[in-house]
Structure formats: structure tokens, C-alpha cells
Amino acid sequence: MKIVACNSNLPLAEAVASELGMTLCNVTVRRFADMEVFVEIHENVRGEDVFVVQSTCTPTNDNLMELLIMLDALRRGSAKRITAVVPYFGYARQDRKSGPRTPISAKLVANLLVEAGASRVLTLDLHAMQIQGFFDIPVDNLYAAPLFVRDILAQYGDRDLMIVSPDVGGVVRARQLAQRLNTDLAIIDKRRERAGVSEVMNVIGDVRGRHCLLVDDIVDSGGSLCNAARAIAQQGAASVGAYVTHGVLTGQSVERIADSPIEMLTLTDSIKATEVVAAARNIRQISIAGLLARAMRAVADESSVSSLFD
């Protein structure tokens, strides 16, 4: 078993290797003068079970190309099995035709990973569960919910909690977390006028006097999350927090969250925190290194991965 890291999230890859009592495989991932990606593996991988850790986050296309070229290098190096460990799966929001003559880019990326040499994929909180069906290889989709439950109990265990879904599409995810915590669920009904812009219409559920936690898989511009937080606060919530798996956080999102009623936004480290995110007063990260390490060990040992869902 060997662990290979590309450049998108080296701290996470190092933490995963440390959890497993291993060191990262000695590789070079660099750019030529014209920004072409070059990969060189400095260790023998013939017959090895290799895990490549790479989130396809910003810069998405560069990180995706790094992953594809690394997979190709390992395949040509005769690795026995290559698992693409993609904590954040970019292009996942393009999982269907949104209009005439538009692509299904998530399916294209799935095809690219398979053609490049991936034997299986290990990922975290896919934006849409059906993306697993885009692959003709095994896909293990892990969940951040068990980590969130432990953190919520540690941070908010003595409060009267309510879990809130910021939109109808995230109800299943929010309901599962509410069931784990044995608490109530509220839903934000919103109307999206165009991409990246949302208008909160109504809060379904009585949030008055409750300590509300918004739950989602991705925060990008932060508009939907902040609008939902304001709506909850206006309805009399005692406090508002948020738990989101993937902190994409583009543009002015950090400033937007800082100016919102959100007391604390908790993210996983599936995407490496920028300096701005790390310095934000109301944004923190919890590590998924232990979860990924246990899943990778289970894959290598041919044991159950589903036990990690509890």
C-alpha cells in the first residue's frame, strides 16, 4: 500500500499518511514553462495498491489534470490497483442537463478518471448520489455526518438544537443529521432567480428560541447560506451556526459570512483553507484525515467501508 499526493491539499494527504503510520510516496508534480503538468514517481509501484489523494477544487482544471496525469503515470508504472481519493469532487454540480445543449460534466470527469487508470474512487459527500452511477468502477462515498455529530455534541451539546436545511434539495442530508442528534428539522423555502443568487421565501418550522444549525454539502459564494441565516434570525432563533462539508468559498464569500448572523461556520478540510479562510473569525475546520485513513485501510484490507457510516 502506497499513498501519493498531488498539490491541491498536501496537509490533508500528510495527515492521512500519519494516521496510517506511513509516509507519502516520493513523487514530483511540477509545471513546464508553458504550464503543462509533469509527473514523475521516484519509487517502484509495480504490483502495489496505490491511493492518490487529490481534491479537484480551485484551480479546478489544473488539479484535475494533475490527478489524471498521476493516474496515467501509475498505470504505466504497473501499479496493481489505483484508488483516486477525491475528498472534494469538482464538477459534481453539473450532474444533469440544466437546459438544451448543455453538458453533463460530472459524467465526463468520471469517464476521464476511469480512462486515466483509476480502479476505484473514494470520495466524500458527493453533491448528488447518482454520480456514483456515472462510474463503471466501484465508488465509495463517505459521509461527514458522523464527524459533524461528534463535533456538534461537543460544541452545542447543552443547547436546544434544531437542524435546518438551507433548501429543499438538502432535506435528506439535514434529516439524517437531525435523526442522529434526535432533534427537530426546519427547511428554508427559497426561489433562485439565477445561478449564484437566491431569495429566501419562507421558513418551514418553528425556530423561535432554538439554536439552529444550517447543514449543507457545499458553500460557494455563501449567498444562500447567509440569506438562510438571516431568515432564521428574523424568525427569532436564539443563535445560528452552520456545518458544511466542502468550503469552496469563492469571491467575497468569507466577508459575506463574517457579516452574517452565523456565529460559526464549521467546514471539513476536504479543501485546503486559504489564508483568508484561516484568518476568518467565524470559520473553522475539522479534519477528515482519520475518516479517510480508515476507509483507505478498509479498501486495502478488503474489509467493510460501510461500517464507517455509523
Side-chain angles (χ1 to χ4, degrees):
M1 177 180 177
K2 289 183 181 290
I3 304 173
V4 173
C6 297
N7 289 327
S8 73
N9 200 338
L10 280 173
L12 175 60
E14 290 168 351
V16 170
S18 177
E19 288 278 344
L20 290 167
M22 301 173 62
T23 57
L24 295 176
C25 187
N26 184 15
V27 301
T28 297
V29 183
R30 60 182 176 87
R31 301 289 191 275
F32 288 122
D34 62 354
M35 299 309 292
E36 285 185 4
V37 177
F38 175 73
V39 163
E40 187 174 5
I41 303 165
H42 303 293
E43 297 181 19
N44 180 25
V45 295
R46 184 179 298 273
E48 293 281 358
D49 199 356
V50 184
F51 295 81
V52 184
V53 182
Q54 174 81 332
S55 283
T56 50
C57 51
T58 304
T60 305
N61 298 329
D62 287 355
N63 288 330
L64 178 58
M65 281 304 300
E66 282 188 9
L67 176 58
L68 294 173
I69 293 171
M70 181 64 77
L71 293 174
D72 184 70
L74 290 166
R75 177 168 59 89
R76 296 178 189 277
S78 301
K80 179 180 69 174
R81 179 172 63 181
I82 309 166
T83 301
V85 182
V86 190
Y88 171 67
F89 186 85
Y91 286 101
R93 286 173 284 183
Q94 298 185 50
D95 62 319
R96 63 193 182 281
K97 284 178 67 69
S98 58
R101 296 168 297 281
T102 57
I104 305 178
S105 302
K107 170 59 175 169
L108 173 61
V109 172
N111 290 345
L112 289 170
L113 291 175
V114 174
E115 289 300 316
S119 306
R120 65 188 303 131
V121 171
L122 180 64
T123 188
L124 176 71
D125 274 349
L126 278 173
H127 183 63
M129 295 301 103
Q130 66 264 24
I131 293 174
Q132 295 173 85
F134 293 176
F135 291 87
D136 293 325
I137 56 176
V139 177
D140 294 306
N141 181 38
L142 305 177
Y143 301 99
L147 299 179
F148 285 169
V149 168
R150 289 195 290 271
D151 193 76
I152 289 169
L153 292 176
Q155 300 289 329
Y156 303 94
D158 58 343
R159 300 190 187 185
D160 182 16
L161 296 176
M162 175 174 268
I163 301 299
V164 182
S165 174
D167 55 36
V168 174
V171 169
V172 172
R173 181 182 300 104
R175 182 185 295 120
Q176 291 173 344
L177 192 63
Q179 288 174 342
R180 287 173 179 266
L181 292 166
N182 193 29
T183 190
D184 297 325
L185 173 69
I187 303 167
I188 304 294
D189 173 36
K190 71 178 183 183
R191 180 176 301 162
R192 186 180 295 277
E193 301 298 335
R194 62 182 186 276
V197 178
S198 65
E199 178 186 0
V200 174
M201 302 299 293
N202 193 26
V203 179
I204 303 172
D206 185 8
V207 299
R208 189 173 303 278
R210 308 291 292 274
H211 295 275
C212 296
L213 295 176
L214 290 155
V215 177
D216 211 347
D217 65 323
I218 298 173
V219 55
D220 190 344
S221 67
S224 295
L225 198 68
C226 293
N227 286 345
R230 291 188 185 93
I232 295 168
Q234 290 170 2
Q235 293 291 321
S239 68
V240 183
Y243 278 77
V244 181
T245 305
H246 308 296
V248 178
L249 298 175
T250 57
Q252 301 300 309
S253 56
V254 175
E255 292 84 350
R256 191 173 291 118
I257 291 165
D259 293 336
S260 75
I262 297 174
E263 292 184 356
M264 185 59 68
L265 167 60
T266 301
L267 308 168
T268 74
D269 57 352
S270 64
I271 297 174
K272 182 182 176 181
T274 63
E275 292 182 3
V276 175
V277 172
R281 63 168 183 81
N282 62 340
I283 300 177
R284 59 189 283 264
Q285 284 190 326
I286 58 177
S287 180
I288 58 170
L291 176 63
L292 290 180
R294 292 193 298 274
M296 289 160 63
R297 176 58 70 191
V299 170
D301 293 344
E302 305 288 351
S303 58
S304 174
V305 174
S306 61
S307 61
L308 303 176
F309 300 162
D310 298 327

